[in-house]
């Protein structure tokens, strides 16, 4: 009885490590495929907590709250559009399959399942490689590399735009691979990459030759010159070994972008590189150079190779100075609690998106974006952030009122949350009146 009760939970956990069989994860219709990513959210939380315990035990630094919240914010932003639209990728993939597939592969065959796994992983490798070697695609992917930390929260730092690029590489699979099989492996490929974002695991022995591991992926996230444009694998590292992009972990990896960010604004973090590209297009003379600034590598300049010159990469400064604009202790806890509340609201709304009209859904999305932007403004020490937080708390009261429409709550829960937001808004009014400073002087780079 106990084993039967635990079985679905253990299966969800195994999905995160691709430790599943074709028989238990094959579905005839794409509509029948579970949303394994959504079901994995509790395991994300548990594994992050476990990682913190192990880091403490190993004597390593714990994740910074500001960086962790920023990473999770990007994860939230990357899924928020699903409140407004169906998955464009799945809709188009299914249409191509229904109208154009020329090979009939049985959806319940283990061989189809294996083909789907290898195809998704192979195409992911090439998309991932393109996303580092083409400036316009890098603009969508850079956010995942923008953290100067490397822990499980970093895995959640996802792009809002990336899927709208990657889907074009996956569409050819629709000529033979059933949509349900594709959707299963697209999720498993993503989930597998969660646990490899850690410094807790050092080396996995013989598995290092076949699988993408924490060691391999640490290199991929490094800004050391030897780490640049290496280890693009999703699940299997064999693609990097085959196509000469593999690099073993050597000297201590320093994480983040080559030119690290100095802000916590999540919206700007998602889109700033597009603005940078626009500036390059304006700056360069001639149509050829303007197009090259868009499609060639992030390091390209006129007269240089597609990806630029590796000798132009800046040396990593020593000692490393991370951007650490932060808040005092209780304010950090405050932001963390309110961030959890935002995630809670989102998780309450998401299952009812079919019952909520577009205008209301749009309002929810706007509120979520506004909320995480306010948290970023607080961490960036913006002078106006106190006022923004007062307004956010008051808006939250209205959002709770809207949520109560399609969703039923215990009265005690609603009352508690109402009181919390009223007290929170009063707190920031008090802090504003008495000019109480919650900002810790920021650490800047030389």
């Amino acid at each position: 009885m106990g084993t039967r009760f635990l079985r679905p939970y253990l299966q969800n956990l195994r999905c995160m490590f691709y430790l599943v069989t074709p028989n238990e994860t094959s579905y005839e219709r794409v509509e029948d495929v579970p949303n394994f990513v959504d079901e994995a959210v509790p395991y994300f939380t548990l594994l992050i907590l476990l990682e913190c315990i192990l880091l403490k035990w190993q004597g390593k630094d714990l994740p910074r709250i500001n960086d962790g919240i920023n990473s999770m914010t990007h994860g939230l932003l990357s899924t928020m559009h699903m409140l407004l639209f169906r998955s464009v990728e799945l809709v188009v993939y299914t249409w191509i399959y229904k109208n154009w597939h020329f090979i009939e592969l049985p959806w319940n065959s283990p061989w189809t399942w294996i083909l789907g796994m290898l195809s998704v992983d192979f195409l992911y490798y090439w998309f991932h490689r393109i996303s580092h070697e083409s400036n316009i695609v890098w603009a969508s992917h850079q956010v995942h590399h923008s953290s100067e930390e490397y822990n499980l929260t970093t895995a959640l730092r996802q792009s809002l735009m990336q899927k709208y690029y990657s889907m074009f590489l996956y569409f050819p699979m629709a000529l033979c691979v059933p949509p349900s099989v594709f959707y299963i492996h697209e999720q498993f490929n993503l989930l597998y990459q969660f646990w490899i974002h850690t410094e807790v695991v050092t080396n996995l022995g013989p598995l290092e030759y076949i699988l993408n591991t924490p060691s391999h992926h640490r290199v991929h996230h490094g800004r050391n010159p030897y780490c640049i444009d290496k280890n693009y694998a999703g699940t299997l590292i064999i693609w990097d070994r085959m196509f000469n992009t593999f690099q073993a972990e050597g000297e201590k990896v320093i994480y983040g972008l080559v030119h690290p960010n100095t802000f916590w604004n999540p919206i700007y973090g998602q889109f700033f590189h597009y603005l940078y590209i626009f500036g390059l297009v304006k700056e360069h003379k001639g149509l050829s150079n303007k197009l090259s600034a868009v499609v060639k590598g992030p390091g390209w300049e006129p007269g240089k190779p597609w990806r630029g010159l590796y000798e132009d990469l800046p040396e990593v400064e020593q000692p490393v100075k991370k951007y650490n604009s932060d808040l005092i202790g209780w304010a950090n806890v405050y932001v963390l609690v309110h961030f959890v509340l935002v995630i809670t609201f989102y998780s309450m709304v998401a299952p009812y998106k079919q019952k909520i009209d577009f205008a209301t859904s749009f309002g929810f999305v706007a509120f979520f974006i506004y909320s995480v932007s306010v948290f970023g403004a607080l961490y960036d020490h913006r002078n106006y952030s106190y006022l923004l937080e007062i307004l956010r708390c008051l808006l939250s009261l209205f959002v709770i009122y809207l949520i109560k429409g399609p969703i039923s709550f215990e009265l005690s829960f609603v009352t508690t949350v109402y009181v919390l937001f009223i007290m929170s808004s009063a707190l920031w009014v008090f802090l504003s009146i008495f000019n109480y400073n919650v900002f810790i002087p920021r650490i800047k780079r030389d």
Side-chain angles (χ1 to χ4, degrees):
M1 181 69 178
T3 305
R4 188 182 306 169
F5 173 77
L6 290 174
R7 190 174 298 158
Y9 299 100
L10 293 175
Q11 179 181 327
N12 288 342
L13 182 61
R14 287 189 288 112
C15 287
M16 299 187 65
F17 300 90
Y18 234 128
L19 297 175
V20 289
T21 65
N23 287 340
E24 63 184 338
T25 55
S26 292
Y27 302 86
E28 182 175 5
R29 302 185 310 149
V30 71
E31 295 84 2
D32 297 330
V33 178
N35 192 322
F36 291 106
V37 175
D38 281 356
E39 292 178 0
V41 170
Y43 301 98
F44 293 159
T45 306
L46 290 173
L47 289 174
I48 288 170
L49 292 174
L50 177 61
E51 181 190 40
C52 289
I53 293 170
L54 293 174
L55 286 170
K56 188 71 174 177
W57 180 64
Q58 293 176 347
K60 297 178 180 178
D61 292 335
L62 294 176
R64 291 181 291 154
I65 293 178
N66 49 12
D67 184 81
I69 288 177
N70 194 251
S71 290
M72 291 185 284
T73 292
H74 286 295
L76 185 65
L77 289 173
S78 71
T79 63
M80 211 167 281
H81 64 285
M82 297 302 292
L83 287 181
L84 302 176
F85 312 107
R86 294 179 63 192
S87 171
V88 174
E89 179 185 50
L90 277 179
V91 169
V92 176
Y93 188 102
T94 302
W95 181 85
I96 294 173
Y97 181 80
K98 286 181 177 179
N99 292 279
W100 296 97
H101 82 278
F102 59 88
I103 300 176
E104 195 73 38
L105 296 177
W107 63 269
N108 55 353
S109 167
W111 296 111
T112 304
W113 193 93
I114 293 170
L115 175 65
M117 175 200 173
L118 293 175
S119 299
V120 167
D121 201 48
F122 177 72
L123 292 172
Y124 175 83
Y125 166 86
W126 282 106
F127 167 74
H128 198 181
R129 183 167 176 171
I130 291 169
S131 72
H132 282 255
E133 297 182 2
S134 174
N135 213 9
I136 190 65
V137 191
W138 170 248
S140 73
H141 183 63
Q142 55 76 29
V143 65
H144 182 63
H145 287 263
S146 59
S147 175
E148 295 181 88
E149 306 293 340
Y150 190 78
N151 52 60
L152 293 180
T153 67
T154 310
L156 303 177
R157 187 178 286 243
Q158 296 294 321
S159 167
L160 176 62
M161 299 298 295
Q162 182 171 302
K163 187 176 284 289
Y164 297 106
Y165 295 89
S166 63
M167 63 183 184
F168 290 102
L169 264 75
Y170 290 131
F171 286 158
M173 285 181 59
L175 298 176
C176 58
V177 176
S180 61
V181 177
F182 162 71
Y183 185 39
I184 289 164
H185 289 294
E186 185 187 39
Q187 292 189 78
F188 289 167
N189 192 276
L190 178 64
L191 287 173
Y192 178 88
Q193 294 178 60
F194 175 77
W195 74 273
I196 62 177
H197 288 81
T198 186
E199 291 189 314
V200 167
V201 179
T202 53
N203 189 284
L204 294 178
L207 294 178
E208 300 280 338
Y209 292 98
I210 303 169
L211 298 176
N212 192 14
T213 65
S215 176
H216 299 329
H217 206 58
R218 283 194 289 270
V219 171
H220 178 71
H221 273 258
R223 58 186 173 101
N224 315 56
Y226 87 95
C227 298
I228 302 299
D229 296 338
K230 300 296 182 183
N231 298 1
Y232 297 116
T235 302
L236 301 174
I237 200 67
I238 58 173
W239 312 122
D240 285 289
R241 296 184 184 277
M242 289 171 60
F243 298 110
N244 201 32
T245 52
F246 174 74
Q247 174 64 55
E249 189 173 17
E251 66 184 58
K252 179 175 173 56
V253 178
I254 308 301
Y255 306 108
L257 300 172
V258 169
H259 302 286
N261 290 345
T262 54
F263 56 83
W264 296 116
N265 184 326
I267 306 303
Y268 188 64
Q270 287 279 343
F271 295 106
F272 80 93
H273 199 78
Y274 290 102
L275 300 176
Y276 172 72
I277 293 174
F278 180 71
L280 290 178
V281 171
K282 288 178 62 179
E283 174 188 330
H284 291 316
K285 306 298 182 183
L287 180 60
S288 176
N289 284 337
K290 291 180 183 293
L291 289 175
S292 294
V294 175
V295 301
K296 290 186 178 180
W300 175 85
E301 292 178 356
K304 294 184 178 180
W306 183 287
R307 289 182 291 181
L309 297 171
Y310 285 105
E311 50 263 38
D312 290 342
L313 292 170
E315 289 294 325
V316 176
E317 74 280 3
Q318 295 293 342
V320 176
K321 296 180 181 179
K322 299 175 182 177
Y323 179 69
N324 197 30
S325 177
D326 208 350
L327 305 175
I328 61 177
W330 71 261
N332 254 324
V333 174
Y334 172 93
V335 173
L336 181 59
V337 169
H338 279 262
F339 178 72
V340 170
L341 280 173
V342 170
I343 294 177
T344 302
F345 289 164
Y346 177 79
S347 64
M348 289 176 172
V349 171
Y352 293 88
K353 62 183 179 181
Q354 304 296 340
K355 299 180 180 180
I356 302 173
D357 62 84
F358 182 84
T360 304
S361 294
F362 186 84
F364 283 137
V365 170
F367 168 74
F368 295 141
I369 292 175
Y370 175 72
S371 293
V372 296
S373 297
V374 172
F375 301 149
L378 282 166
Y379 278 119
D380 279 332
H381 298 180
R382 302 303 180 195
N383 294 330
Y384 48 79
S385 58
Y386 284 29
L387 175 60
L388 294 181
E389 178 59 11
I390 294 169
L391 294 175
R392 192 192 69 82
C393 291
L394 296 176
L395 275 173
S396 298
L397 299 174
F398 180 64
V399 169
I400 297 168
Y401 172 77
L402 290 178
I403 292 177
K404 282 168 56 182
I407 308 171
S408 59
F409 292 111
E410 291 288 337
L411 180 61
S412 58
F413 172 79
V414 175
T415 303
T416 301
V417 175
Y418 265 125
V419 170
L420 174 64
F421 280 112
I422 291 171
M423 292 178 63
S424 296
S425 58
L427 169 67
W428 290 97
V429 169
F430 174 85
L431 297 177
S432 299
I433 292 173
F434 291 96
N435 292 318
Y436 186 90
N437 186 16
V438 300
F439 304 143
I440 294 177
R442 65 183 70 190
I443 298 174
K444 295 183 178 179
R445 294 182 176 83
D446 295 334

